[in-house]
Amino acid sequence: MHFRVRLASCTSKGLNYLTIMAPRNLWHMRSNFLFGSRCWMTRFSAEIIFKSVSFRLFGVKCHNADSEPSENEDLLNNLLTMGVDVDMARKRQPGVFHRMITNEQDLKTFLLSKGASKEVIASIISRYPRAITRTPENLSKRWDLWRNIVTSDLEIVNILERSPESFFRSNNNLNLENNIKFLYSVGLTRKCLCRLLTNAPRTFSNSLDLNKQMVDFLQATCLSLGHNDPTDFVRKIIFKNPFILIQSTKRVKANIEFLQSTFNLNSEELLVLICGPGAEILDLSNDYARRSYTNIKKKLFSLECTEEEVQKFVLSYPDVIFLAEKKFNDKIDCLLEENVSISQIIENPRVLDSSISTLKSRIRELVNAGCNLSTLNISLLSWSKKRYEAKLKKLSRLA
């Protein structure tokens, strides 16, 4: 019995085609091919068992090793018609444009039904193009799960407009459902879960085991410090620092130990600190926290502050540890140059929240209004613009 195998190559830019004449009722075929990128080298061995000598044509499409896959032209046209910023989307997630199957029209229809405008939908896709890979069924299920936390469709649309990644980052709805049930079960309120969704959405992409590990660690820490309400403890810390669940227990433990040893805190003092103003420090890199505190001490010691004053300064406003070394030093120097004393800064550390340009402009305005900075409560340097301007008008009238 005879058969024919015809090999033909057709080469275009970046593409090779192999055409083989083969039996229609092929039972078994074993073959090895070795292709070069510029020319063909073919090694072929075949063992074929068949019961018919009829043939049909089939083709195999091969990419050159150095070629790039082409973009989906239909997808590009659809996105442009929808008003998507294609350049932005391509920079953020270029792989999406090579997909042959996408669901941009289904996504548009779904979000329109939830109250999103065409402009918002275009913005969402521009910033997180992977959203168009989600199926209508997946979107509907995920939306329903979010509604267990968020009170209205419009509120979800607003969250997506601010942070599309929070909704589209994962398509594992079962994991999301299990995490929501677990976080409710450990005493977190709807308000707390909504805060997690908007600020730290990766919490819900974590595996359930990871979230359980952190909650178990926080509860054990609470009990070791003599507090008898671990549920309240966990709720307070997570509400103060929604990012803590996406950190490792090792990092959080190291930072708790750093705070306790550095400031010589007893259990009650430590509890108050980490459930309150110190909660945000817990997700910092421990090395960064230590370096930052070392720099704060060095700078304040150079200005003849005591150890007690340094500790009072940091404990009254732990967020100062977030400031990089240069930024902290520059702000202190700026205030000193404007005749603000170091004792005033120690008493009002929140002034370091303001930028250097804001500090300088406000000091200049206060001086022009006839204020004496040496006797002034400088906390107004960090007030909101509206509150500050109202106070400035009042001081100007009194001058």
Side-chain angles (χ1 to χ4, degrees):
M1 190 169 288
H2 301 284
F3 64 90
R4 289 186 301 139
V5 176
R6 181 163 64 88
L7 294 178
S9 66
C10 176
T11 306
S12 61
K13 185 176 180 181
L15 297 174
N16 292 322
Y17 292 89
L18 170 64
T19 304
I20 301 175
M21 294 296 293
R24 184 185 305 275
N25 298 318
L26 191 65
W27 286 3
H28 176 68
M29 178 175 179
R30 184 184 66 213
S31 43
N32 297 306
F33 293 90
L34 178 63
F35 302 100
S37 61
R38 296 289 180 184
C39 62
W40 287 75
M41 292 189 301
T42 307
R43 177 185 171 194
F44 177 73
S45 65
E47 178 186 342
I48 304 177
I49 302 173
F50 53 89
K51 62 180 181 180
S52 170
V53 293
S54 61
F55 297 93
R56 65 178 176 175
L57 185 69
F58 68 89
V60 181
K61 183 177 178 180
C62 308
H63 287 289
N64 261 338
D66 59 351
S67 68
E68 294 183 2
S70 59
E71 292 185 335
N72 184 335
E73 293 294 333
D74 290 337
L75 170 60
L76 282 171
N77 292 332
N78 284 343
L79 295 182
L80 288 169
T81 302
M82 293 169 66
V84 172
D85 185 335
V86 171
D87 289 336
M88 178 190 292
R90 190 183 281 117
K91 287 177 182 178
R92 290 176 180 246
Q93 292 166 351
V96 170
F97 291 88
H98 303 301
R99 289 175 175 260
M100 291 297 104
I101 300 176
T102 53
N103 303 303
E104 61 276 6
Q105 296 298 342
D106 290 332
L107 175 64
K108 177 182 176 180
T109 301
F110 179 83
L111 291 178
L112 284 172
S113 73
K114 301 300 182 181
S117 67
K118 292 179 180 179
E119 292 74 19
V120 167
I121 295 169
S123 174
I124 287 171
I125 298 173
S126 300
R127 289 177 291 138
Y128 202 80
R130 200 172 294 144
I132 66 174
T133 66
R134 305 297 182 242
T135 64
E137 296 77 14
N138 182 278
L139 290 172
S140 181
K141 175 64 175 176
R142 198 165 192 81
W143 198 276
D144 290 342
L145 290 171
W146 270 49
R147 282 299 304 271
N148 290 328
I149 300 171
V150 183
T151 55
S152 70
D153 288 343
L154 183 58
E155 192 175 350
I156 297 179
V157 169
N158 290 336
I159 293 172
L160 265 60
E161 185 177 5
R162 295 194 304 271
S163 174
E165 181 184 4
S166 61
F167 187 86
F168 295 106
R169 186 175 190 272
S170 171
N171 64 353
N172 189 337
N173 289 331
L174 179 59
N175 188 63
L176 171 63
E177 184 175 10
N178 289 337
N179 274 317
I180 290 173
K181 289 178 179 177
F182 169 69
L183 294 171
Y184 271 135
S185 75
V186 297
L188 298 190
T189 63
R190 172 178 279 200
K191 183 179 180 180
C192 191
L193 263 67
C194 190
R195 182 170 164 80
L196 286 174
L197 268 181
T198 54
N199 291 281
R202 222 179 82 198
T203 299
F204 298 92
S205 300
N206 278 352
S207 70
L208 181 61
D209 285 343
L210 272 180
N211 285 334
K212 283 183 175 180
Q213 285 175 22
M214 180 57 76
V215 170
D216 289 346
F217 167 75
L218 292 175
Q219 290 176 337
T221 299
C222 168
L223 295 173
S224 71
L225 294 175
H227 190 50
N228 59 5
D229 191 348
T231 298
D232 180 63
F233 177 80
V234 169
R235 183 169 56 245
K236 284 180 177 177
I237 287 186
I238 294 177
F239 190 78
K240 285 284 185 179
N241 185 353
F243 302 99
I244 197 167
L245 287 170
I246 59 177
Q247 303 301 332
S248 67
T249 55
K250 181 180 179 181
R251 170 177 288 193
V252 176
K253 181 180 180 182
N255 283 325
I256 290 175
E257 291 172 350
F258 160 70
L259 291 172
Q260 186 167 29
S261 61
T262 300
F263 300 104
N264 300 313
L265 303 174
N266 60 36
S267 295
E268 185 177 352
E269 291 168 334
L270 181 61
L271 275 169
V272 171
L273 180 63
I274 62 178
C275 283
E280 293 186 356
I281 294 175
L282 298 182
D283 69 326
L284 268 180
S285 157
N286 187 248
D287 287 340
Y288 181 89
R290 290 180 182 276
R291 287 198 309 271
S292 180
Y293 182 66
T294 298
N295 175 66
I296 292 169
K297 282 177 61 176
K298 180 181 177 182
K299 182 65 176 178
L300 296 185
F301 280 171
S302 72
L303 298 170
E304 300 183 351
C305 293
T306 64
E307 179 81 32
E308 183 181 355
E309 287 175 322
V310 172
Q311 292 201 354
K312 176 186 175 182
F313 173 73
V314 176
L315 288 175
S316 64
Y317 190 53
D319 281 4
V320 72
I321 290 178
F322 283 92
L323 287 177
E325 178 179 341
K326 186 177 186 305
K327 187 168 287 188
F328 174 80
N329 293 344
D330 288 349
K331 288 185 177 184
I332 293 288
D333 291 340
C334 167
L335 290 166
L336 294 176
E337 288 167 4
E338 300 292 345
N339 297 318
V340 175
S341 68
I342 189 61
S343 60
Q344 287 175 287
I345 300 173
I346 295 293
E347 292 296 326
N348 300 278
R350 287 183 181 273
V351 296
L352 300 178
D353 274 350
S354 299
S355 67
I356 290 178
S357 61
T358 298
L359 290 172
K360 285 184 175 181
S361 64
R362 289 189 174 185
I363 288 172
R364 186 164 51 251
E365 290 168 344
L366 291 167
V367 170
N368 291 338
C371 297
N372 183 350
L373 291 180
S374 63
T375 59
L376 185 70
N377 178 1
I378 64 168
S379 63
L380 57 81
L381 294 175
S382 61
W383 288 0
S384 68
K385 183 178 180 181
K386 183 178 179 180
R387 186 183 178 194
Y388 165 75
E389 288 178 348
K391 181 67 173 178
L392 182 62
K393 287 181 181 179
K394 184 177 180 180
L395 291 171
S396 298
R397 287 196 297 268
L398 293 174

